[in-house]
Amino acid sequence: MRLIKKLGAGFMILFFCAAVFGAEEKNEAKILLHGGNNGEVSFDHKLHQTILKDCSLCHMLFPQETGGIQKSVKEGKLKEKQVMNTLCINCHKEKKKAGVKAGPVTCSRCHSKK
Ligand code: HEC
Ligand code: HEC
Ligand code: HEC
C-alpha cells in the first residue's frame, strides 16, 4: 500500500514537471507583438524560421531583438502597421493565392483582444 502511494506521488511530480517545462518551451517559440488597439499578436517565430529559412526576409526591416519593431517605429525607420501589411499579410495572401499552406489574413485571427 505504502509503496503504491509513493509511486503515485512520484508519477504526479513527473507529470507536473512535464507540464510546466512543456509549456515553457512553447512560450519561447512565440513572441507577443504590440498590436495597438486591436490587441496583441502572438507570433510563432520558430514556425516561421523553419518554413522560411531566410532571416533577412523579415529582419531587413527590423533588428533581431525583442521589441525590435517598436524600436524601429520610434526611430522613424518603420511606419506603424508596415510590418503587418508589407510582410505578414502580404506573404499570407501570396501563399493563399498560390494554393499552398498560408497564415491568416483576417484581423481577429492575428490580433487577440483581452
Ligand atoms: C516571418 C518573419 C521573421 C523571420 C523569417 C525571422 N524572424 Fe526573427 N523575429 C521576427 C519578429 C516579428 C520578431 C520580434 C520583434 C519584436 O519583438 O518587435 C523577431 C525577433 C527575433 C529575435 C529576438 C527575439 C528572440 O527570439 O531572441 C532574434 C534573435 C531573431 N528574431 C532572429 C532570427 C533569425 C536568426 C532568423 C532566421 C533563422 C529569424 N529571426 C527569422 C520575425 C522574423
Ligand atoms: C497576419 C497577422 C495580422 C493580421 C491578419 C492583421 N494584423 Fe494588425 N498587426 C499585426 C502585427 C504583427 C502588428 C505589429 C507590427 C506592425 O505594426 O506592423 C500589427 C499592428 C496593428 C496595429 C497597431 C499599429 C500600432 O503600432 O499602433 C493595428 C491598429 C492593427 N494591426 C490593425 C489591424 C486590423 C484592423 C486588421 C484587419 C484588417 C489587422 N490588423 C490584421 C498582424 C496582423
Ligand atoms: C514570407 C512569408 C511569410 C511571412 C513574411 C509571414 N508569414 Fe505567417 N505564415 C506563413 C506561412 C506559409 C504559414 C503557414 C504555416 C503552416 O501552417 O505550416 C504562416 C502561418 C502563420 C500563422 C498561423 C500559425 C500559427 O502561428 O498559429 C500566424 C498567426 C502567422 N503566420 C502570423 C504572421 C505574422 C504576425 C507575421 C509578420 C510578423 C507573419 N506571419 C509573416 C508565411 C509567412
Side-chain angles (χ1 to χ4, degrees):
M1 229 8 234
R2 241 200 178 154
L3 182 68
I4 289 173
K5 258 192 195 155
K6 265 193 189 158
L7 274 175
F11 277 123
M12 289 278 278
I13 290 169
L14 264 179
F15 279 129
F16 181 71
C17 287
V20 168
F21 290 117
E24 224 162 39
E25 241 170 55
K26 254 189 199 158
N27 283 345
E28 271 173 24
K30 294 218 177 185
I31 302 178
L32 273 188
L33 302 174
H34 164 87
N37 292 337
N38 280 70
E40 286 180 324
V41 177
S42 168
F43 172 66
D44 196 331
H45 194 222
K46 262 219 174 98
L47 169 81
H48 286 83
Q49 282 179 327
T50 311
I51 54 173
L52 301 175
K53 305 207 167 60
D54 183 6
C55 312
S56 71
L57 210 68
C58 294
H59 288 296
M60 60 176 192
L61 281 183
F62 55 90
Q64 294 184 3
E65 58 186 74
T66 310
I69 296 176
Q70 282 292 296
K71 195 177 138 201
S72 296
V73 169
K74 284 202 184 100
E75 289 170 351
K77 291 178 189 156
L78 266 182
K79 290 198 186 93
E80 284 179 356
K81 299 199 267 188
Q82 187 178 338
V83 170
M84 163 180 121
N85 287 319
T86 62
L87 276 181
C88 320
I89 296 179
N90 221 11
C91 176
H92 292 174
K93 271 190 182 154
E94 272 171 17
K95 299 273 178 196
K96 208 176 164 189
K97 229 173 153 184
V100 294
K101 256 195 175 178
V105 292
T106 45
C107 320
S108 64
R109 287 205 39 218
C110 280
H111 292 273
S112 62
K113 278 194 176 162
K114 272 181 232 130

